[in-house]
Amino acid sequence: MKKPELLAPAGDLEKLKIAITYGADAVYLGGEAFGLRASAKNFTIEEMEEGIKFAHERNKKVYVTLNIIPHNDDLIGLSEYVKTLENIGVDAVLVADPGIFSIVKDNTKDMEIHLSTQANTTNYQTAKFWYDQGVKRVVVARELSLEEIKDIIDKTPEELEIEAFVHGAMCISYSGRCLLSNYMTHRDANRGECAQSCRWKYYLVEEKRPGEYYPIVEDEKGTYIYNSKDLCMLKHIPELIESGIHSFKIEGRMKTPYYVATVVRAYRMLIDEYLKDPENYKPSEKWLEEIKKASYRDFTTGFYFGKPDDKEQLYTTSSYIRTYDFAGLVLDYDESTGIATIEQRNRIFVGNEIEVFGPNKEHFVQKVEKMWNEKGEEIEVAPHPKQIIKMKMDNPVEKWDMLRMAIENN
């Protein structure tokens, strides 16, 4: 049985390092142009180089998105850019457009090319066509069932890798090819500027009754008619692995480092647990509960087991559910004293109950008994963003471990 790749989003350099530390086999990221997340911090070439070095030292991979649907002006500078990506050691690029595909082929010696989900691949003949052109991997459209994906795998060359989304936001438009944002805000979703208009509140207005707003459902607050639940396939790790999908993709380059760590950790633990002993594997609800400690919408399995119905939509709100706050990131730990150096991310008070978690291990709970600032002065609260503090820990911790607090304890 093949071990699948766990592929995580990296919206910036810190998220890249956290994703890899918490168990991702590869990350995907965008540069300052040509990718579909214009609002993310994205990467300069220098940051990419640092991220690639960090990943390659740990035998992990870095993929760069070039998956906009380009207009003529968007192609300016692309030839030089892809040459630079190859020179700094990028492992693959993701493309959705034949023009960008041809520019990559013509300007690199042996760059691995992945076909983005934006290309809407929904059948084995299309997948085979792109393989024949030189594509190494196809990211299939989110609108496929597991049976359809298995059929594509069975009817395409074994060397062609299939990647599929397993977790994160779902799009109301077909695999992200959306005109709604452009129409509503003049921000082109297909060029990286999506305003998430599908998450807005909408009312119905009849043509001859301007100014009379009717809720689409019986709710005085209106309705979010386009708003999908989030994809979560954590309970279906065996089916995903047995299908032959090569890469399990997590959505979320705009999400927080805490979100990335929480979700990657849960999928890593369950993938490894299943592969260790498939016959006796029993999925634990605790990992689903762990994922819910990061902000989330209600979950759906999307199209994997049939076409979604109205139960897969959220008609009442576009807000995320948030029950825990990211409190701090461990920078260092002194084994002789049991004291950790922590970068604060949300206010911490002496007396707070915190949970501490890290890659490949269970979390533990403790009360904050004492804290010190950088000068060694004892403090009752750490109120400043990214304040460096020291804290006595009940159990050993490591760099990159995280602290979180239930919101009611804040």
Side-chain angles (χ1 to χ4, degrees), residues 4 38 69 152 217 238 286 332 345 353 388 408:
I69 308 301
I152 290 173
V217 295
K286 73 180 180 183
D332 196 14
R345 295 300 175 95
E353 184 175 88
I388 304 301
E408 64 266 20

Side-chain angles (χ1 to χ4, degrees), residues 37-153:
R37 288 296 180 271
S39 298
K41 289 183 180 178
N42 294 323
F43 285 69
T44 65
I45 292 299
E46 292 73 26
E47 288 170 332
M48 273 192 212
E49 287 185 284
E50 184 178 341
I52 290 166
K53 183 174 185 292
F54 185 91
H56 287 179
E57 285 173 348
R58 292 158 178 80
N59 296 315
K60 311 295 185 181
K61 294 183 177 181
V62 175
Y63 310 141
V64 174
T65 58
L66 304 176
N67 57 344
I68 60 169
I69 308 301
H71 293 239
N72 291 331
D73 289 348
D74 295 318
L75 301 178
I76 297 171
L78 181 57
S79 299
E80 294 74 19
Y81 184 65
V82 296
K83 290 175 185 175
T84 300
L85 296 183
E86 185 173 49
N87 289 337
I88 65 174
V90 168
D91 294 289
V93 294
L94 286 91
V95 308
D97 176 76
I100 291 182
F101 172 83
S102 65
I103 289 172
V104 175
K105 290 286 286 183
D106 292 343
N107 289 277
T108 61
K109 295 177 182 176
D110 198 27
M111 175 65 79
E112 187 171 304
I113 302 175
H114 298 175
L115 190 70
S116 169
T117 191
Q118 296 293 120
N120 310 123
T121 302
T122 57
N123 65 78
Y124 62 83
Q125 193 64 37
T126 300
K128 186 177 183 302
F129 167 84
W130 281 109
Y131 172 77
D132 289 341
Q133 308 313 306
V135 163
K136 171 69 173 176
R137 178 185 298 185
V138 169
V139 188
V140 292
R142 287 178 173 90
E143 293 75 22
L144 295 179
S145 69
L146 191 59
E147 286 303 314
E148 289 177 300
I149 295 173
K150 287 163 70 174
D151 199 33
I152 290 173
I153 292 169

Side-chain angles (χ1 to χ4, degrees), residues 273-331:
E273 191 174 324
Y274 175 76
L275 291 173
K276 194 186 306 177
D277 189 1
E279 296 296 324
N280 297 303
Y281 174 78
K282 293 180 181 178
S284 172
E285 284 291 326
K286 73 180 180 183
W287 291 110
L288 185 61
E289 294 307 311
E290 281 289 297
I291 278 186
K292 289 180 178 179
K293 291 178 180 179
S295 63
Y296 70 100
R297 297 185 183 97
D298 287 335
F299 292 134
T300 173
T301 54
F303 290 79
Y304 274 103
F305 302 110
K307 290 186 178 179
D309 56 23
D310 60 335
K311 296 182 180 63
E312 312 311 313
Q313 296 292 109
L314 290 171
Y315 294 117
T316 56
T317 180
S318 64
S319 298
Y320 283 92
I321 300 167
R322 190 166 64 90
T323 57
Y324 278 75
D325 275 336
F326 178 23
L329 179 69
V330 175
L331 303 179

Side-chain angles (χ1 to χ4, degrees), residues 6 8 14-25 27 54 58 60 250 257-269 272 287 290 326 328-330 356-361 398-404:
L6 182 59
E14 181 186 46
K15 293 173 194 174
L16 179 152
K17 292 179 178 180
I18 284 172
I20 288 172
T21 300
Y22 275 76
D25 298 302
V27 296
F54 185 91
R58 292 158 178 80
K60 311 295 185 181
I250 296 168
Y258 171 64
Y259 175 93
V260 171
T262 303
V263 175
V264 169
R265 172 175 172 257
Y267 277 88
R268 176 79 279 150
M269 296 293 275
D272 291 350
W287 291 110
E290 281 289 297
F326 178 23
L329 179 69
V330 175
V356 185
F357 71 98
N360 299 309
K361 57 188 174 186
E398 299 175 89
K399 183 180 179 181
W400 300 111
D401 285 358
M402 291 186 176
L403 283 60
R404 64 189 175 208

Side-chain angles (χ1 to χ4, degrees), residues 194-245:
C194 181
Q196 294 207 344
S197 306
C198 56
R199 309 294 182 193
W200 296 355
K201 185 190 299 182
Y202 290 89
Y203 288 86
L204 177 67
V205 179
E206 199 273 327
E207 180 183 12
K208 295 181 180 179
R209 295 180 176 87
E212 294 186 34
Y213 300 94
Y214 301 95
I216 310 266
V217 295
E218 294 297 325
D219 178 4
E220 71 279 4
K221 294 181 181 178
T223 184
Y224 299 83
I225 56 174
Y226 301 123
N227 189 39
S228 173
K229 294 180 179 179
D230 280 356
L231 178 65
C232 178
M233 290 294 287
L234 193 69
K235 287 185 174 181
H236 302 283
I237 294 296
E239 296 100 305
L240 291 172
I241 293 177
E242 290 162 13
S243 73
I245 295 171

